[in-house]
Each structure stands twice: as C-alpha cells, then as structure tokens.
Amino acid sequence: MADSFPMPEPYDHGLLDVGDGNQVYWEANGNPDGKPALVVHGGPGGGGKRSSRTAFDPEKFRIVRFDQRGCGRSLPHAGDPSVSLAHNTTEHLIADMEKLREHLGIEKWLLFGGSWAPTLMLVYAERYPERVSEMVMIATFTSGPEEVDWLYRDVGRLLPREWEAFRDAVPEADREGDLLAAYSRLLVSPDEQVRLRAARAWCTWEDAVIAHESKGSPGQYSARDGADLVAFVRICAHYFGHAGWVEPGAILRDVHRLHGIPAVFVHGRLDLSVPMKPAWDLVQAWPGAELVVIDDSGHTGSPDMGEAVRAAVARFADR
C-alpha cells in the first residue's frame, strides 16, 4: 500500500450561506472530475484540519472539506461567547451538508471521518442514503449517553487524579452534578480568563485520556489558540451535553436504511476515549459493513491504522 498522498492546494473554496446567520467554509482539493468524497471533521468544533497529507489519491478523488458551524473558518465563530449556539445542532449540520452537496452539484459522495464525525455521517446517511456511495469511519463515536458518560466520567476510574482535576475545575456546587452543563456556563463567562481556564482544563483531561497512545501528546487537544480552544470546548460541551441530539439507540435502530452502502469501520483496540461496542453492533446489523481492529492503535492512530484507512479508501477509489 502506498504512503499517504500529498494534499494539493484547494482549486475552489467559499463561504456557503446556510441560514440562521451562519456561513460555512468549504474547500475542494484534488481532481474536479474525480470521485466525490466529503471529509467530515471530528470534535465537534474541531474544524477541518488542513493536513499536508491525505488518505485520498488527489488524482482519483474530488476531496471536499468543510468547517462545521461555529468553528474553523466558518462564521460566526463560537470562540466569541456572544455567538448563540441555538442554531448549532446535529439537525442543522445535516442540513448544511445537504446544502453543500447541492451547491457543488454532487449526486453522491463517499463520507469519511473519525471520532465525532461518524455520528454526523451516520445520521446524514440514514436521512439521505441515496446520496451516499460509501463510508469510511475511524474511531467511531455515536454520541450515545453511555459513550458521553464514559468519556467524561467513567473512564476517570482509570485516571482518578486527572479526572478529579477535570471535575474540580468547575464550581464546587456543580461537581456532583452535570459537569458538561457546568463547563458550558463557564465558557460563556464575560471574563476571558474564566473561559480560557475552563477550556484548558477540559483539554487537559482529553489529553490525559490519550496520553498512553503512541501518537498521544500533552498538547493533542490543548494546542489551539485562545478563540479556537474556547470554540472547540464550547461546542463539544454543547453537543455532548445533549447526547448529540440523537435519540438513544436510533442510529442502530435505523441502520437498515444503510443496507447496500459499503462501509469500513477502523478502530484501535487501545482507544480509551471511544469504546468499540457501538461500531461492533453496527457492523453486526449492517450487511456490507466491515470492522477492522488495529491492535497497536488508540484514538490518535498508529502506522497500522493509517495503512488500514488508506486501504479502505483505495478500495472505493474506482467503485
């Protein structure tokens, strides 16, 4: 299998007016006549990272990236506490993806992404199965309440010191209650230092959960500038505090709508952030879906995971 491919400069980009005062940034790379692929970023609120390398052969794929509402180059930016998140939900993002597809004149596209991205990809695909050609999902998180509870409370059994620091960064009265709601309140404080302290404490916890991984680093989540750091954490707390606005069990219940769409799930056995069970359950109920388990990988990947992801994309290149 070839190494990852260089990512060419965008041949087209823009801001798409999606309503509610929001403009979503998008860009297209690769071959304008190639197989369309939409890269969905994680987070939520992470923004579409502009890596210099990609799993997609730019001669074969028309690679579309976009920044979800409130982050990256999309406007307005959620790093500003005065920006409302009332019109920033999973339903809004699904509508944005469909508006972008129509704007670009794409009939069907491959969906690609990891972590939070599969939540959005799966809900979109179950809504518009006729618009999806294939799916490649990495470290799949489906935003179920048990997954959210695991990441922000239960995995603290393995990292008690780090989790207590995460808990103790909110006011004492909130520590035994809804931590995500408590962080959401801090992140709209009129005091910039309060917002930044909360965002750093959140990301320090996220960094701790991946610290054991070969590609984990102390700054994996926290190495962002002030406004981007606040936007990332604010949007994460907003979405996960509402379990992604996805009815519990609905993605698995409606997986029959995806029958006929080939899919590959790639998951690291060492991933403490995202348990493998949701991906496992989906594959059992989805003919044509495959789960590839990478023994040496966690949430942040490994060379073997990169190889598996590139192999999955290559399999669909000429389909």
Side-chain angles (χ1 to χ4, degrees), residues 151-163:
L151 180 56
Y152 296 110
R153 191 173 292 274
D154 293 346
V155 78
R157 297 178 212 171
L158 304 179
L159 301 161
R161 178 184 302 159
E162 293 85 351
W163 184 80

Side-chain angles (χ1 to χ4, degrees), residues 126 251-260 265 278-289:
E126 289 181 347
I251 290 176
L252 181 59
R253 180 197 68 205
D254 295 337
V255 73
H256 63 91
R257 294 183 56 78
L258 306 182
H259 292 185
F265 293 81
W280 173 269
D281 289 344
L282 284 165
V283 169
Q284 305 316 301
W286 182 350

Side-chain angles (χ1 to χ4, degrees), residues 6-180:
M7 174 61 82
E9 289 297 311
Y11 66 80
D12 198 7
H13 69 280
L15 282 168
L16 179 64
D17 188 338
V18 292
D20 309 311
N22 281 274
Q23 293 179 294
V24 166
Y25 176 80
W26 63 272
E27 63 182 40
N29 309 72
N31 181 353
D33 298 317
K35 181 184 183 73
L38 180 67
V39 176
V40 182
H41 68 68
K49 296 178 182 177
R50 273 75 191 167
S51 173
S52 62
R53 311 293 296 182
T54 176
F56 293 91
D57 183 340
E59 294 185 1
K60 294 185 175 182
F61 285 94
R62 179 184 180 185
I63 310 157
V64 179
R65 298 170 177 264
F66 75 108
D67 289 334
Q68 294 159 31
R69 291 189 182 202
C71 65
R73 302 181 197 177
S74 291
L75 300 172
H77 195 275
D80 179 348
S82 70
V83 171
S84 171
L85 298 183
H87 296 107
N88 196 332
T89 70
T90 302
E91 283 295 320
H92 289 98
L93 299 186
I94 292 167
D96 294 350
M97 290 165 65
E98 187 60 3
K99 286 177 183 176
L100 179 58
R101 184 194 63 77
E102 293 173 348
H103 176 72
L104 297 177
I106 291 171
E107 181 179 356
K108 282 189 173 187
W109 46 14
L110 179 153
L111 302 182
F112 175 97
S115 195
W116 146 259
T119 298
L120 190 52
M121 293 160 58
L122 287 160
V123 176
Y124 174 90
E126 289 181 347
R127 183 76 52 83
Y128 301 107
E130 71 282 2
R131 300 305 182 191
V132 179
S133 57
E134 303 91 8
M135 301 176 73
V136 177
M137 287 161 282
I138 310 152
T140 295
F141 187 78
T142 62
S143 302
E146 69 287 348
E147 295 169 84
V148 174
D149 287 346
W150 168 260
L151 180 56
Y152 296 110
R153 191 173 292 274
D154 293 346
V155 78
R157 297 178 212 171
L158 304 179
L159 301 161
R161 178 184 302 159
E162 293 85 351
W163 184 80
E164 288 180 11
F166 172 67
R167 178 199 62 191
D168 293 349
V170 306
E172 186 173 358
D174 295 326
R175 290 174 189 170
E176 300 306 318
D178 187 338
L179 288 178
L180 304 193

Side-chain angles (χ1 to χ4, degrees), residues 228-249:
D228 285 335
L229 184 74
V230 170
F232 169 69
V233 176
R234 188 181 172 208
I235 294 172
C236 279
H238 175 62
Y239 272 78
F240 297 151
H242 294 87
W245 286 275
V246 180
E247 178 188 346

Side-chain angles (χ1 to χ4, degrees), residues 175-212:
R175 290 174 189 170
E176 300 306 318
D178 187 338
L179 288 178
L180 304 193
Y183 269 95
S184 288
R185 290 189 289 271
L186 293 174
L187 289 158
V188 292
S189 168
D191 186 332
E192 181 182 14
Q193 291 308 309
V194 170
R195 299 195 301 271
L196 286 172
R197 280 197 299 271
R200 288 174 184 139
W202 178 292
C203 288
T204 297
W205 165 245
E206 297 258 20
D207 287 341
V209 178
I210 62 168
H212 67 290

